[in-house]
Structures are given as structure tokens and as C-alpha cells.
Coordinates of all heavy atoms in Angstrom, one line a residue:
E1 N 7.3 5.9 -5.0 CA 7.1 7.3 -4.6 C 7.0 7.4 -3.1 O 6.2 6.7 -2.5 CB 5.9 7.9 -5.2 CG 5.9 7.9 -6.8 CD 4.6 8.4 -7.3 OE1 4.0 9.3 -6.7 OE2 4.2 7.9 -8.4
P2 N 7.8 8.2 -2.4 CA 7.8 8.2 -0.9 C 6.5 8.9 -0.4 O 6.1 8.6 0.7 CB 9.0 9.0 -0.6 CG 9.3 9.9 -1.7 CD 8.9 9.1 -2.9
H3 N 5.9 9.8 -1.1 CA 4.7 10.5 -0.6 C 3.6 10.3 -1.7 O 3.7 10.7 -2.8 CB 5.0 12.0 -0.4 CG 6.2 12.3 0.5 ND1 6.1 12.2 1.8 CD2 7.4 12.6 0.2 CE1 7.2 12.5 2.3 NE2 8.1 12.8 1.4
V4 N 2.5 9.7 -1.2 CA 1.4 9.4 -2.1 C 0.1 9.8 -1.5 O -0.1 9.6 -0.3 CB 1.3 7.9 -2.5 CG1 0.1 7.6 -3.3 CG2 2.6 7.4 -3.2
E5 N -0.8 10.5 -2.2 CA -2.1 10.9 -1.8 C -3.1 10.4 -2.8 O -3.0 10.6 -4.0 CB -2.2 12.4 -1.6 CG -3.6 12.8 -1.1 CD -3.7 14.3 -0.9 OE1 -2.7 15.0 -1.3 OE2 -4.7 14.8 -0.3
I6 N -4.2 9.7 -2.3 CA -5.2 9.2 -3.2 C -6.5 9.8 -2.7 O -6.9 9.7 -1.5 CB -5.3 7.7 -3.2 CG1 -3.9 7.1 -3.7 CG2 -6.4 7.2 -4.1 CD1 -3.8 5.6 -3.5
R7 N -7.3 10.4 -3.6 CA -8.6 11.0 -3.2 C -9.7 10.1 -3.5 O -9.7 9.2 -4.2 CB -8.7 12.3 -4.0 CG -7.7 13.4 -3.7 CD -8.1 14.1 -2.5 NE -7.1 15.2 -2.1 CZ -7.2 15.9 -1.0 NH1 -8.3 15.8 -0.2 NH2 -6.3 16.8 -0.7
V8 N -10.9 10.5 -2.9 CA -12.1 9.8 -3.1 C -12.5 9.8 -4.6 O -12.4 10.9 -5.2 CB -13.3 10.4 -2.3 CG1 -14.6 9.6 -2.6 CG2 -13.0 10.3 -0.8
G9 N -12.8 8.7 -5.2 CA -13.2 8.6 -6.6 C -12.1 8.2 -7.5 O -12.4 7.8 -8.7
E10 N -10.8 8.2 -7.0 CA -9.7 7.9 -7.9 C -9.7 6.3 -8.0 O -10.1 5.6 -7.1 CB -8.4 8.3 -7.3 CG -8.1 9.8 -7.4 CD -6.7 10.2 -7.2 OE1 -5.8 9.9 -8.0 OE2 -6.4 10.7 -6.1
R11 N -9.1 5.9 -9.1 CA -8.9 4.5 -9.4 C -7.5 4.3 -9.7 O -7.0 4.9 -10.7 CB -9.8 4.0 -10.5 CG -11.3 4.1 -10.2 CD -12.2 4.0 -11.4 NE -13.6 4.2 -11.0 CZ -14.5 4.4 -11.9 NH1 -14.3 4.4 -13.2 NH2 -15.8 4.5 -11.5
V12 N -6.8 3.5 -8.9 CA -5.4 3.4 -9.0 C -4.9 1.9 -9.1 O -5.4 1.1 -8.4 CB -4.7 4.0 -7.7 CG1 -3.2 3.9 -7.8 CG2 -5.2 5.4 -7.4
M13 N -4.0 1.7 -10.1 CA -3.4 0.4 -10.3 C -2.1 0.4 -9.6 O -1.2 1.2 -9.9 CB -3.3 0.1 -11.8 CG -2.8 -1.3 -12.0 SD -4.0 -2.5 -11.7 CE -3.0 -4.0 -11.7
I14 N -1.9 -0.6 -8.7 CA -0.6 -0.7 -8.0 C 0.0 -2.0 -8.4 O -0.5 -3.1 -8.2 CB -0.8 -0.7 -6.5 CG1 -1.5 0.6 -6.0 CG2 0.6 -0.8 -5.7 CD1 -1.7 0.6 -4.5
T15 N 1.2 -2.0 -9.1 CA 1.8 -3.1 -9.7 C 3.2 -3.3 -9.0 O 3.7 -2.5 -8.3 CB 2.0 -3.0 -11.2 OG1 2.8 -1.9 -11.5 CG2 0.6 -2.8 -11.8
G16 N 3.8 -4.4 -9.4 CA 5.2 -4.8 -8.9 C 5.7 -6.1 -9.5 O 4.9 -6.9 -10.0
E17 N 7.0 -6.2 -9.5 CA 7.5 -7.5 -10.0 C 7.1 -8.7 -9.1 O 6.9 -8.4 -7.9 CB 9.1 -7.4 -10.1 CG 9.5 -6.3 -11.1 CD 9.2 -6.7 -12.5 OE1 9.2 -7.9 -12.8 OE2 9.0 -5.8 -13.3
P18 N 7.2 -9.9 -9.6 CA 6.9 -11.0 -8.7 C 7.9 -11.0 -7.6 O 9.1 -10.8 -7.8 CB 7.2 -12.2 -9.7 CG 6.9 -11.7 -11.0 CD 7.3 -10.3 -11.0
G19 N 7.4 -11.2 -6.4 CA 8.3 -11.2 -5.2 C 8.5 -9.9 -4.6 O 9.2 -9.7 -3.6
A20 N 7.9 -8.8 -5.2 CA 8.1 -7.5 -4.7 C 7.4 -7.2 -3.4 O 7.8 -6.3 -2.6 CB 7.6 -6.4 -5.7
G21 N 6.4 -8.0 -3.1 CA 5.7 -7.9 -1.8 C 4.3 -7.3 -1.9 O 3.9 -6.5 -1.0
K22 N 3.6 -7.6 -3.0 CA 2.3 -6.9 -3.2 C 1.3 -7.4 -2.2 O 0.5 -6.5 -1.6 CB 1.8 -7.2 -4.6 CG 2.7 -6.7 -5.7 CD 2.1 -6.9 -7.1 CE 2.1 -8.3 -7.6 NZ 3.5 -8.8 -7.8
T23 N 1.2 -8.7 -1.9 CA 0.2 -9.2 -0.9 C 0.6 -8.7 0.5 O -0.2 -8.4 1.3 CB 0.2 -10.7 -0.9 OG1 -0.4 -11.1 -2.2 CG2 -0.7 -11.2 0.2
L24 N 1.9 -8.6 0.8 CA 2.4 -8.0 2.0 C 2.0 -6.6 2.2 O 1.6 -6.2 3.3 CB 3.9 -8.2 2.1 CG 4.6 -8.2 3.5 CD1 4.1 -9.4 4.3 CD2 6.1 -8.2 3.3
F25 N 2.1 -5.8 1.1 CA 1.6 -4.5 1.1 C 0.1 -4.4 1.4 O -0.4 -3.5 2.1 CB 2.0 -3.8 -0.2 CG 1.8 -2.3 -0.3 CD1 2.7 -1.5 0.2 CD2 0.6 -1.8 -0.8 CE1 2.6 -0.1 0.1 CE2 0.4 -0.4 -0.9 CZ 1.4 0.4 -0.4
F26 N -0.7 -5.3 0.7 CA -2.1 -5.3 0.9 C -2.4 -5.6 2.4 O -3.3 -5.0 3.0 CB -2.7 -6.4 0.0 CG -4.1 -6.7 0.3 CD1 -5.1 -5.9 -0.3 CD2 -4.5 -7.8 1.0 CE1 -6.5 -6.2 -0.1 CE2 -5.9 -8.1 1.2 CZ -6.8 -7.3 0.7
R27 N -1.7 -6.6 3.0 CA -1.9 -6.9 4.4 C -1.6 -5.7 5.3 O -2.2 -5.5 6.4 CB -1.1 -8.1 4.8 CG -1.6 -9.4 4.2 CD -0.7 -10.5 4.5 NE -1.2 -11.8 3.9 CZ -0.6 -13.0 4.0 NH1 0.6 -13.0 4.5 NH2 -1.2 -14.0 3.5
A28 N -0.6 -5.0 5.0 CA -0.2 -3.8 5.8 C -1.3 -2.8 5.7 O -1.7 -2.2 6.8 CB 1.1 -3.2 5.3
L29 N -1.9 -2.5 4.6 CA -3.1 -1.6 4.5 C -4.2 -2.1 5.3 O -5.0 -1.2 5.9 CB -3.5 -1.4 3.0 CG -2.5 -0.8 2.0 CD1 -3.1 -0.7 0.7 CD2 -1.9 0.5 2.6
A30 N -4.4 -3.4 5.4 CA -5.5 -3.9 6.1 C -5.3 -4.0 7.6 O -6.2 -4.3 8.4 CB -5.9 -5.3 5.6
G31 N -4.0 -3.7 8.1 CA -3.7 -3.7 9.5 C -3.3 -5.1 10.0 O -3.1 -5.3 11.2
L32 N -3.2 -6.1 9.1 CA -2.8 -7.4 9.5 C -1.3 -7.5 9.7 O -0.8 -8.4 10.4 CB -3.2 -8.4 8.4 CG -4.8 -8.5 8.2 CD1 -5.0 -9.5 7.1 CD2 -5.5 -8.9 9.4
W33 N -0.5 -6.7 9.0 CA 0.9 -6.8 9.0 C 1.5 -5.4 9.5 O 1.6 -4.5 8.7 CB 1.5 -7.1 7.7 CG 2.9 -7.5 7.7 CD1 4.0 -6.7 7.5 CD2 3.4 -8.8 7.9 NE1 5.2 -7.5 7.6 CE2 4.9 -8.8 7.8 CE3 2.9 -10.1 8.1 CZ2 5.7 -9.9 7.9 CZ3 3.7 -11.2 8.2 CH2 5.0 -11.1 8.1
P34 N 1.7 -5.3 10.8 CA 2.1 -3.9 11.3 C 3.5 -3.6 11.3 O 3.9 -2.4 11.7 CB 1.6 -4.1 12.8 CG 1.9 -5.5 13.1 CD 1.6 -6.3 11.9
W35 N 4.4 -4.5 10.9 CA 5.8 -4.2 11.0 C 6.4 -3.4 9.9 O 6.1 -3.7 8.7 CB 6.6 -5.6 11.1 CG 6.1 -6.4 12.3 CD1 6.4 -6.1 13.6 CD2 5.2 -7.5 12.3 NE1 5.7 -7.0 14.4 CE2 5.0 -7.9 13.6 CE3 4.6 -8.2 11.2 CZ2 4.2 -9.0 13.9 CZ3 3.7 -9.3 11.6 CH2 3.6 -9.6 12.9
G36 N 7.2 -2.4 10.2 CA 7.8 -1.6 9.2 C 8.0 -0.2 9.7 O 8.2 0.0 10.9
S37 N 7.9 0.8 8.8 CA 8.1 2.2 9.2 C 7.2 3.0 8.3 O 6.7 2.6 7.3 CB 9.6 2.6 9.2 OG 10.1 2.4 7.8
G38 N 7.2 4.3 8.6 CA 6.4 5.2 7.8 C 4.9 5.4 8.4 O 4.6 4.9 9.5
R39 N 4.1 6.0 7.6 CA 2.7 6.3 8.1 C 1.7 5.9 7.0 O 1.9 6.2 5.8 CB 2.6 7.7 8.5 CG 1.2 8.1 9.0 CD 1.1 9.6 9.4 NE -0.2 9.9 10.0 CZ -1.3 10.2 9.2 NH1 -1.2 10.2 7.9 NH2 -2.4 10.6 9.9
I40 N 0.6 5.4 7.4 CA -0.6 5.2 6.5 C -1.7 6.0 7.1 O -2.1 5.8 8.2 CB -1.0 3.7 6.5 CG1 0.1 2.8 5.9 CG2 -2.3 3.6 5.6 CD1 -0.3 1.3 5.9
G41 N -2.2 7.0 6.2 CA -3.3 7.8 6.6 C -4.6 7.4 6.0 O -4.7 7.4 4.7

């Protein structure tokens, strides 16, 4: 989904196929991996 909003108190499961880049996505949220495009609010 290109536009996602998560509110306080929500519990969300984020999945993907092996090699999809789940840990890379986690690092991007943590600010460790800054390369790419789009916005994290």
C-alpha cells in the first residue's frame, strides 16, 4: 500500500516473502538505512 497510517494503540503485523527486505525495512524505520525515497512520518 503506498499510503499507510498507524495510530496509537494499533497492533500491526508486517510480513513478506523471504528476501523481500523485512530487516532492511526495519533499519529504515530506525534511521540506520537512509537510502531510498518517500516519507516516514
Side-chain angles (χ1 to χ4, degrees):
E1 303 176 30
H3 304 283
V4 175
E5 181 179 10
I6 301 173
R7 293 280 179 180
V8 176
E10 284 195 74
R11 294 166 185 166
V12 183
M13 183 72 196
I14 303 177
T15 62
E17 296 294 327
K22 295 187 290 295
T23 293
L24 202 63
F25 189 84
F26 173 80
R27 290 174 175 174
L29 296 185
L32 298 178
W33 193 269
W35 302 285
S37 60
R39 181 182 184 275
I40 298 176

